[in-house]
Structure formats: C-alpha cells, structure tokens
Amino acid sequence: MSDSTISDRELQQFLLYLGSALTAAGEAVNQIEEHLLRVAKAYGARHARFSVLPTYVVMSLSPGRPATLEPTRALRGGLRLDQTAAIYGVLREAEQGLATPSEGSRRIREIVRMRPRFSPAVQIMGYAVLTVGICLILQPTWVDLLLSAAFGVLVGAFKLIGARWASLQMIMPVTAAFVVASLTFVIAGTGWADADLRAMVAPLATFLPGAMLTMAVVEVSAAEMVTGASRLVAGCLQLLLLAFGIIGAAQMVGLPRAEELVSAPQNDIGAWAPWLGALVVGIGNYLVLSGPPRTLGWLCLVLYSGWIAQYLGNLAVGAYLSGFVGAVALTVVAYLVERTPSGPPALVSFLPGFWLLVPGALSLIGVTEYLSRDSVRGTEDLIGALGSMLAVALGVLCGHPIYRALARALGAWNLREERS
C-alpha cells in the first residue's frame, strides 16, 4: 500500500464500509473484526485496530493515529441474502488484495442500492409461504394453516410498508400483532373457527429477530459485552412489543381471557407436517430475503441438516440439548457448503436456519401467556425458550472449531491425494 494520505483515506473508507456492511448482514462482531484484520494486512496495514458495535465501526490504521467512525445506519440497516452474498464476494477478493480500496468502496455502495430480486407481490406471497412453514413446524390444524397463510399476506404488506418509511418501523410490530390478533379473536367469536394462538404466532414470528437473539448470546460468550447486551435488549423489546399487541387486541375485542385461546399443538395434518415445514421455510426465506440465484438447494440442505440433527438430538439427549446438536450441525454444514465452488457464503444459508432452531415463536407464546395472567405456563415457556436459545448459541460456538478441524483434515487429505 502506498504511504500517501489519499491511499490511507481510501483504505480507511473501504474498511469502514466493509465492517458496516458485515454488521448490517448480521455477522457476529468478533468474526467481523477478524475479517477486517485480514483485509487490512492484505493492504499493508498490519497494525490496524478495529472496534465493531451494532450501530457503528471504529478503526485506526495504526496505534497512536486518529481513529475514524462509520455509522452502520449509513448502509440502510439490514441486508438481504443476495446483498449478503455479494458483500462476501467483495470480502473474499479484499482478503487477497485483488481489488483497490476505492473499487471496493464503490462496489459496496452499489450492493447496498441493489433492488430486490423479486417483485413486491412475490415478496408478499413469500411471507405467506414462510408463515405456513413456521405453522407446520408448530404442528397445527388445517384451520391454523389457512389462517396463517392469510395473515402472512397481511404481515408481508405491513413489512413492505414499514420498509418504505423508517418512522413506521418501530410501531409496525405492535400494529401487525394488534391487527392479526384482533382478526383471530373476532373470527373465534363468530364461531367460524377455533382461535388458536399458533395461527397468530406463525406470521408474527417473522418480526422476531431470532438470529439477533442467538448472535447476542454468542457475542456475550466471546466477551463482546456491549454488542451482545445491545442486541439482546433489542430482541427482547421486539418480543414485548408483539406480546403487547396481542394482549391489547384481546382486551379490545372483549374476550374474557387471552390464555383460553392458547392450546397445545393439535397436529391433525400428519407426522410429516414439521418435516415439510422445514422445506417450506426454506422456500419462504428464499422469496422474502431475495436468495441469490442457484442457492435454494444449498439453503434447504443446510436447513434440513440442522433440522434432522435437532430431531435426532431430541430423541437422544432431550429437548433442551437438541438445539445444541442442531446448531452444531447447521454451523458445520453451512461452512462446508461455503467451501464448494457453487456454495453461498455460510451466513446466507446459516441465518435462515434460526427459524427452525431458535424457539422465537414459543417465547412469544410464553410472554403472551405470562402477560395474560397465566404466569405458571408462561414462565415455563419462557424458561424453556431461554434454555433452548442458550443451547443454540453454545452449538454455534462449538460448531466453528469443529468446522476448522474438519477443514484442516480435508485440506491434509487433499494434499496427500495430490502427492500420490
């Protein structure tokens, strides 16, 4: 790297943009710092220092030099799967020093401005598909599936409206929860169908930051206290907002007690319903989050690896540790897929897996039951959700060293094959 001031400024801008983009994509901050250090070394800044937080990135090219800051919100918040894949393409080239910093900054700005691969109508239908998949995993009735599909279309429209106006994003979870719950309670009151909280939870679960909650625990475990605590608080607030909307709807329409509307899973579809749900969740995520071309098969492979591992773990070690087993398998397979020539970045196939592993829907049910005065059942559900979330986070932490060991073994095996 040249020692000129202009080159230093270009490198700083590129590293800040790259760190902000990875943060917006949902990567853990300790992983982002490792990526940025490798990129800085590739461009000659071997003594660069980074501090990544949920809303901004701070860096200095060397100790003692002034630090610079880049807000993450400058990149318009979260990224879709196609944007995430493109960002990791820039990252791979940057770690080898193949592109100039100015070119890298330009490409990141273009990626942020990318339009979704699918039209708004397809995205709304994608939300319906996603909610049906989540509902299948919760072991519903046929009425639950019909209601969740209809509510999925409604929630999809709410989400697209909230994406246009930032001022509406904070109230959108409460609004969606209130409308969906009110419609469910009114339908139940007319006797047209039994009101089941799971029909409401499936579409509203799309508002839950399951990846954020698990990444928060991962970051706290990695001694990233500020970032982990911030994400944990943000995720819990989102959960409380949704529960508030449901309880408010129950009081508004005059139903006696909201807990009477919560029932245990009543699967009259068949034992195959949760297994089909994993596939449907993958398709829904692909449509909603604009999955990169030719990655749907890889996405479903990673989802099913986590789902099958969780299922077998439940049989072998129980429900709480099943999330740990599923998270280990999900993490290892996602990174192994990344090594294939056509495989997407691990984060692209990894994050949708949280819909299957993180019991966000169950924790929403627990908060709702607790606020509706069924404190015993609500507390049990909340404790169960917390224990499962910790198990998933621990599985992610253990999945990384297991993958690295497998990668070293595969590398040594390939080297022996080449020499033989």
Side-chain angles (χ1 to χ4, degrees), residues 286-310:
Y286 185 82
L287 297 176
V288 169
L289 300 176
S290 297
R294 299 181 298 277
T295 59
L296 179 59
W298 291 118
L299 176 61
C300 292
L301 172 64
V302 174
L303 288 176
Y304 268 106
S305 67
W307 175 252
I308 293 173
Q310 186 180 38

Side-chain angles (χ1 to χ4, degrees), residues 122-292:
V122 173
Q123 293 180 60
I124 291 176
M125 292 306 300
Y127 276 106
V129 173
L130 177 58
T131 56
V132 168
I134 297 173
C135 196
L136 283 169
I137 292 172
L138 296 176
Q139 303 187 38
T141 64
W142 287 107
V143 174
D144 293 336
L145 282 184
L146 293 175
L147 288 177
S148 65
F151 292 152
V153 172
L154 182 62
V155 168
F158 274 119
K159 286 220 172 192
L160 290 184
I161 293 173
R164 286 178 172 267
W165 291 282
S167 59
L168 297 178
Q169 290 182 3
M170 179 58 69
I171 65 172
M172 198 56 66
V174 177
T175 304
F178 180 83
V179 172
V180 170
S182 296
L183 289 175
T184 303
F185 298 156
V186 169
I187 291 173
T190 61
W192 181 78
D194 293 333
D196 188 344
L197 185 59
R198 281 166 175 77
M200 298 184 299
V201 165
L204 297 181
T206 60
F207 283 98
L208 292 173
M212 179 186 295
L213 292 172
T214 300
M215 284 297 184
V217 179
V218 170
E219 288 167 344
V220 170
S221 301
E224 298 287 351
M225 301 300 181
V226 175
T227 303
S230 299
R231 292 195 186 191
L232 189 61
V233 170
C236 292
L237 176 61
Q238 190 99 333
L239 184 64
L240 291 173
L241 289 174
L242 290 169
F244 180 80
I246 294 175
I247 299 302
Q251 294 180 351
M252 180 66 70
V253 299
L255 292 179
R257 290 174 63 86
E259 71 267 23
E260 295 175 1
L261 303 171
V262 181
S263 61
Q266 298 177 354
N267 184 3
D268 61 4
I269 297 177
W272 50 266
W275 296 91
L276 177 63
L279 174 63
V280 177
V281 167
I283 297 173
N285 272 292
Y286 185 82
L287 297 176
V288 169
L289 300 176
S290 297

Side-chain angles (χ1 to χ4, degrees), residues 369-392:
E369 291 171 338
Y370 188 84
L371 294 179
S372 61
R373 297 185 300 276
D374 189 353
S375 58
V376 175
R377 184 187 299 177
T379 302
E380 290 176 352
D381 284 345
L382 284 172
I383 293 175
L386 179 60
S388 299
M389 186 177 68
L390 292 174
V392 170

Side-chain angles (χ1 to χ4, degrees), residues 51-117:
S51 179
V52 182
L53 294 170
T55 55
Y56 60 87
V57 179
V58 182
M59 68 155 294
S60 174
L61 289 180
S62 62
R65 296 187 59 177
T68 54
L69 179 147
E70 178 70 24
T72 304
R73 63 178 177 272
L75 296 183
R76 304 178 185 176
L79 301 181
R80 305 183 306 271
L81 296 183
D82 58 337
Q83 293 173 307
T84 300
I87 288 295
Y88 272 83
V90 175
L91 173 64
R92 284 193 293 267
E93 294 182 8
E95 288 180 337
Q96 302 176 29
L98 298 180
T100 63
S102 59
E103 174 68 15
S105 298
R106 182 189 63 80
R107 289 176 60 186
I108 291 176
R109 289 193 296 267
E110 291 177 351
I111 292 169
V112 172
R113 292 192 294 266
M114 283 174 55
R115 297 179 64 85
R117 293 187 58 232

